[in-house]
Amino acid sequence: MPRYDYRCRTCGATFELNRPMSQANAPAVCPAGHDDVAKLMSMVAVTGSASAGGAAPQAGGGGGCCGGGCCG
């Protein structure tokens, strides 16, 4: 179930709600009971590195205009 982040405009509290996507735009109420709430845009950062056992890309093996040797 997706998690949505909210901020109360009345008291400034920031909170999360887990709710189905079908209720993504339904009104929310802050933990203090205020209903002037804004849904925040969540930013997701994905980081990582290649594993040592992975195969390295081969040079010149691509396709299309910039990788297939047709433009050159």
Side-chain angles (χ1 to χ4, degrees):
M1 191 171 313
R3 182 193 78 206
Y4 298 96
D5 299 319
Y6 297 89
R7 167 160 280 175
C8 177
R9 292 182 180 125
T10 303
C11 67
T14 301
F15 60 98
E16 303 170 348
L17 289 177
N18 291 321
R19 50 173 47 173
M21 290 178 71
S22 62
Q23 295 179 8
N25 294 321
V29 177
C30 91
H34 305 119
D35 60 359
D36 188 11
V37 173
K39 187 163 80 169
L40 302 176
M41 180 181 291
S42 299
M43 300 302 235
V44 176
V46 178
T47 61
S49 61
S51 64
Q58 298 293 320
C65 182
C66 297
C70 62
C71 304

